[in-house]
Amino acid sequence: MTAPDASHINRNFKSRVIEALEDQELRNNFRGAMDFLMQKRAAMFPDPEDLEALRHRGEQIRNRCLQQLPELLEKLESQCVNNGIRVHWAETAEQANNIILGIMKDHQATRMIKGKSMASEEIGLNHFLADHDIEALESDMGEYIVQLDHSTPSHIIMPAIHKNKQQIARLFHEKIPGIDYTEDVDQLIGTGRKVLRQKFFEADVGLSGVNFAIAETGTLCLVENEGNGRMSTTVPPVHIALCGIEKVVESLTDVPPLYRLLTRSATGQAITTYFNMISGPRKPDELDGPKEVHLVLLDNGRSRMYADKQLQQTLRCIRCGACMNHCPVYTKIGGHAYGSTYPGPIGQVVSPQIWGLDKAGSITQACSLNGACRDACPVNIPLPNLIRRLRHEGNIDSADSQTLGRGSLRKPVESLIWKFWTYLNSSPLWYRLTLWGATRFRNLMPSSIGPWTRYRSAPRPAEKSLHELVKAHQSQSPSHVIKPTKQETK
Ligand code: SF4
């Protein structure tokens, strides 16, 4: 079994964007949801100075942990083993899938219940298990909705944010036997919970993600609101935690500041309803909890990011989703248009680094470099700089970089146009001639110039160039020309 193929990300990117832009209902759903989330976050950070101090602290903690990542991972492993947790290392998505399948097979398990885990989306776990006749059921309400719809999450925190309550009501009515159509949100949630409750008891294995893995104590922290994370990790006899290697923090004291930043930035909550700390399987004198706990530490390209000083900053991410909520492009096109498990600004940085620029580099174009994502990021990741870097590497195969698929997005025609443009702008004679021609023959500018004019009007040169206007102005009123004072000329 191979890793999930990501080549569709580049292949159909444009058509997905066009489709999303033409879907007014989708755009309304995103606009409303993002406005709501931005307001909630803003209300949580009323003092800009406090916010900056907290972001700075978050950045420092993540940097310190990343600087000692290899040692912390070893420490985490030994502490987890001391606690009775079995630790597995997965270099690739295939390895992670096979490790999880192996654990399932060891227990003759055929049913898995899942808490929210973007890492499991990243490795395509559900499809992989389905190919081996294993049912993997999502228990996070948003994930459950997208699974019921045979779709994928459109946001890393709120997977079904692209759907409004009418669409969810229709989906439940069509897909869950015996359910009447209702738009009552409480009733809809109640229906989902009723279906899932039974599944927790029937599952052989529970799988969850990990928000923070504490090296000092070998503790896995899970942040959630629905209680499904706690059910998935305690009701089935086996718990598998799938954790990106960057999630490790040094000590317990690192968690509260990051947790504060995470919940406030993600959903505008001071704290979440549940904060789970898992430190091992059930002990002989305990009444509940799984009999076995496995931790799968996933690399899948993270070591490559780690090896590059600039791109390493990607690994500071605490997956809060605030960069998406604040991104004007994400808000217009929604998460599915990116075609990647990780959409929005963080997706534009993470996806090409995991799957390669040749497969996922096109999505770096979905950015106006306005910087809203950087300003919202609770750990100060310079997302626009990283996006620019990856865009550049998509066109230039730099020997200093390890990013997969470097130079694969280079188009000969585009390169030729840029070379011509550079020449025009670096030769004064040709520059003046071009300006003269563009202004004198401005009426010949076609009203349609391909995709550029699909959503904009064609640019029309002015009647006179700026140079000509300034010259004319100076000749008419020389007294208005600002001359440097003697002081300035010294
Ligand atoms: S890049 Fe920053 S804002 Fe975006 S998800 Fe990660 S931590 Fe949150």
Side-chain angles (χ1 to χ4, degrees):
M1 182 78 191
T2 54
D5 181 24
S7 47
H8 70 278
I9 299 177
N10 274 359
R11 207 173 38 242
N12 301 324
F13 178 51
K14 270 193 189 159
S15 53
R16 285 194 307 268
V17 169
I18 292 169
E19 207 178 303
L21 286 172
E22 286 169 356
D23 186 340
Q24 197 53 50
E25 190 174 30
L26 182 89
R27 290 179 63 172
N28 291 345
N29 292 350
F30 271 98
R31 181 74 271 168
M34 297 302 112
D35 285 349
F36 176 68
L37 287 168
M38 284 197 290
Q39 278 164 18
K40 283 190 80 183
R41 174 187 173 272
M44 276 290 142
F45 295 116
D47 184 337
E49 277 183 26
D50 276 357
L51 170 60
E52 278 322 298
L54 197 54
R55 289 175 78 206
H56 182 61
R57 183 142 181 237
E59 179 186 355
Q60 279 184 325
I61 293 172
R62 291 299 294 133
N63 278 346
R64 171 170 43 77
C65 296
L66 286 173
Q67 270 157 24
Q68 14 169 8
L69 185 62
E71 300 84 42
L72 290 185
L73 283 168
E74 279 179 21
K75 194 165 177 189
L76 175 71
E77 180 182 29
S78 78
Q79 291 297 1
C80 283
V81 170
N82 288 345
N83 294 344
I85 298 175
R86 301 184 198 182
V87 180
H88 312 259
W89 297 87
E91 199 181 327
T92 61
E94 293 105 299
Q95 283 179 11
N97 280 331
N98 281 313
I99 289 167
I100 294 167
L101 178 65
I103 299 168
M104 299 286 294
K105 280 188 170 166
D106 287 348
H107 293 84
Q108 283 102 43
T110 55
R111 285 163 300 189
M112 171 186 276
I113 190 93
K114 292 176 67 199
K116 196 166 174 312
S117 160
M118 287 311 289
S120 76
E121 299 281 347
E122 175 186 323
I123 63 173
L125 180 67
N126 290 8
H127 290 298
F128 177 82
L129 292 180
D131 287 346
H132 291 85
D133 299 321
I134 293 175
E135 178 196 67
L137 185 72
E138 300 288 349
S139 67
D140 172 272
M141 193 53 66
E143 292 274 0
Y144 174 67
I145 290 166
V146 293
Q147 190 176 38
L148 208 58
D149 199 28
H150 301 293
S151 182
T152 52
S154 59
H155 190 285
I156 60 171
I157 295 292
M158 282 144 297
I161 198 91
H162 54 287
K163 286 199 176 291
N164 57 33
K165 67 177 176 185
Q166 290 79 10
Q167 291 168 322
I168 295 169
R170 272 200 301 275
L171 180 72
F172 275 28
H173 177 57
E174 284 163 17
K175 295 282 172 77
I176 304 176
I179 297 299
D180 292 335
Y181 180 90
T182 174
E183 291 177 11
D184 184 298
V185 175
D186 289 339
Q187 270 194 48
L188 289 168
I189 300 278
T191 300
R193 288 213 169 127
K194 210 164 146 198
V195 173
L196 290 170
R197 197 152 193 89
Q198 190 53 33
K199 297 285 184 182
F200 285 114
F201 296 110
E202 290 169 4
D204 308 302
V205 170
L207 183 130
S208 74
V210 175
N211 290 96
F212 310 110
I214 306 171
E216 180 189 39
T217 53
T219 307
L220 312 174
C221 303
L222 202 57
V223 178
E224 52 141 349
N225 273 314
E226 298 173 18
N228 67 304
R230 184 163 297 180
M231 297 280 278
S232 307
T233 56
T234 53
V235 178
V238 179
H239 168 215
I240 303 173
L242 179 61
C243 175
I245 55 170
E246 81 282 14
K247 296 285 178 78
V248 66
V249 295
E250 189 175 0
S251 69
L252 205 50
T253 53
D254 291 329
V255 174
L258 294 176
Y259 177 56
R260 270 182 82 191
L261 280 166
L262 174 60
T263 58
R264 284 157 203 246
S265 306
T267 46
Q269 290 173 284
I271 53 167
T272 43
T273 316
Y274 295 88
F275 183 80
N276 306 289
M277 300 179 84
I278 300 155
S279 293
R282 180 198 305 194
K283 297 201 173 66
D285 57 339
E286 288 176 342
L287 290 178
D288 49 25
K291 291 185 184 132
E292 266 181 39
V293 178
H294 295 258
L295 171 64
V296 182
L297 288 163
L298 175 71
D299 186 317
N300 205 27
R302 287 159 175 84
S303 293
R304 218 171 25 244
M305 300 180 206
Y306 188 69
D308 185 297
K309 268 278 160 274
Q310 188 187 18
L311 296 177
Q312 190 189 99
Q313 299 181 88
T314 312
L315 299 175
R316 283 213 295 270
C317 178
I318 53 173
R319 302 284 192 268
C320 72
C323 53
M324 298 173 195
N325 308 346
H326 289 74
C327 173
V329 179
Y330 176 88
T331 306
K332 293 244 170 4
I333 63 175
H336 287 154
Y338 295 81
S340 166
T341 302
Y342 302 107
I346 185 59
Q348 289 168 288
V349 172
V350 167
S351 312
Q353 294 189 73
I354 294 178
W355 292 290
L357 287 154
D358 50 332
K359 292 190 174 137
S362 294
I363 60 172
T364 58
Q365 298 302 323
C367 175
S368 64
L369 299 175
N370 60 81
C373 52
R374 178 198 51 223
D375 297 345
C377 178
V379 284
N380 278 327
I381 300 177
L383 291 156
N385 294 355
L386 303 185
I387 291 170
R388 236 187 343 246
R389 153 98 185 258
L390 291 166
R391 268 186 193 175
H392 178 72
E393 288 192 356
N395 288 286
I396 310 280
D397 183 0
S398 157
D400 301 333
S401 170
Q402 287 190 34
T403 313
L404 300 177
R406 298 184 305 279
S408 58
L409 302 177
R410 189 184 180 91
K411 293 186 188 127
V413 177
E414 222 171 84
S415 303
L416 214 65
I417 292 171
W418 282 115
K419 267 192 189 142
F420 181 61
W421 179 258
T422 310
Y423 181 71
L424 276 188
N425 282 279
S426 50
S427 154
L429 175 68
W430 278 107
Y431 180 73
R432 279 197 206 106
L433 268 175
T434 312
L435 273 189
W436 185 88
T439 48
R440 294 326 180 265
F441 300 105
R442 59 194 284 272
N443 289 333
L444 298 181
M445 173 62 96
S447 58
S448 166
I449 43 173
W452 176 263
T453 42
R454 192 176 295 143
Y455 300 105
R456 316 169 182 87
S457 42
R460 174 174 288 201
E463 278 179 36
K464 296 220 162 114
S465 71
L466 184 62
H467 279 160
E468 288 170 324
L469 289 173
V470 171
K471 244 188 198 167
H473 184 72
Q474 285 176 342
S475 62
Q476 279 165 18
S477 50
S479 60
H480 287 158
V481 177
I482 300 166
K483 290 186 179 140
T485 60
K486 275 185 188 165
Q487 193 72 23
E488 284 169 335
T489 49
K490 271 182 192 172

